[in-house]
Amino acid sequence: MSKKKQTILSPVITLVTISCLSAYILGYIHEKTLEPIKAAKDRQELQAISEVVNEFDNNPFSEQMKITTKNKKHKLTMYPARKDGKLNSVAIKSYTNTGFGGRLEIMAGFNVDGSIKTFKVISSQETPGLGSKVDEPKFKEQFSGFYPAHQIMKVKQDGGDIDAVTAATISSRAVIKALERAYDAFSNFTTGNTTDE
C-alpha cells in the first residue's frame, strides 16, 4: 500500500473506531439507566397518586387500568384506591397540549360519587412564578368537592365557577381541560364502558 493511501486510510480507521466505540458506550449507558429512570418515574407517579386519593391499603399502581373518554379518542390510566377492599377513590393520569408551554400532565383524584378530590401537576412547561401557580393550594382548593356533572368547570372569564390564576389564564384553562378529560373518562368508566386494550 502506498504511503499516500496509508495517510488517508489511517484517520478514517481511527474515526470509524472512535465512532463505533462511542456508539457502544452510549448504548450501554442508555441500557443501564433505563430501569432506574423508569423506577424513578413510577415512584413519582405513586407519590402523586397518594396525594390525590383518599387513604388506601391496596397498591393502586399494581391495579392500574386503561380507560377511555366517551369519544374513544383519549386513553388514560386509572389507579383505584381501596380501603378494606372497598373502592373509595381513584386517581387518573390526564393531560392536555393546550398549556402556555405546551403539554401539561396531571394526576386527578376523584371520589366515588364523581366529585373531584384534588389534582397534582406532574409535568408541565408553564412559566415559573405564573403558570406554575396552578399547582398551588389557592388555585387547587377550588376543585375540592367540585362536581363536574353539576357545576360549570370553566374559568369565570368563560362563564364558569373557577377563579383563574392571575396572569395565567391559559395555564388555568389547561388544568381544567385535563380535569375535564379525566372526568369524561371516569364517567365513561362508571357507566360500564371500559377498555383494557
Side-chain angles (χ1 to χ4, degrees), residues 65-69 74-78 92 182 185-186 189 195:
M65 63 182 76
K66 296 292 183 187
I67 61 174
T68 62
T69 52
H74 307 284
K75 191 180 283 191
L76 306 178
T77 305
M78 184 178 78
I92 299 174
F186 177 69
F189 171 78
T195 180

Side-chain angles (χ1 to χ4, degrees), residues 93-110:
K93 185 177 177 185
S94 186
Y95 69 94
T96 182
N97 293 316
T98 61
F100 187 78
R103 189 174 177 95
L104 179 137
E105 295 181 356
I106 65 168
M107 190 67 74
F110 292 92

Side-chain angles (χ1 to χ4, degrees), residues 8-74:
I8 293 171
L9 208 53
S10 181
V12 170
I13 291 169
T14 303
L15 187 60
V16 168
T17 304
I18 290 170
S19 297
C20 289
L21 190 58
S22 297
Y24 173 78
I25 291 168
L26 285 172
Y28 178 79
I29 291 170
H30 175 72
E31 193 65 36
K32 285 293 181 187
T33 57
L34 243 131
E35 278 303 312
I37 289 170
K38 185 183 181 310
K41 191 174 180 201
D42 289 351
R43 278 194 305 275
Q44 178 193 19
E45 284 194 8
L46 190 54
Q47 177 62 38
I49 292 165
S50 67
E51 288 182 33
V52 302
V53 295
N54 296 315
E55 188 180 344
F56 58 91
D57 55 19
N58 68 318
N59 182 348
F61 201 76
S62 69
E63 293 184 36
Q64 64 183 273
M65 63 182 76
K66 296 292 183 187
I67 61 174
T68 62
T69 52
K70 289 176 186 168
N71 63 11
K72 306 291 184 203
K73 287 185 179 178
H74 307 284

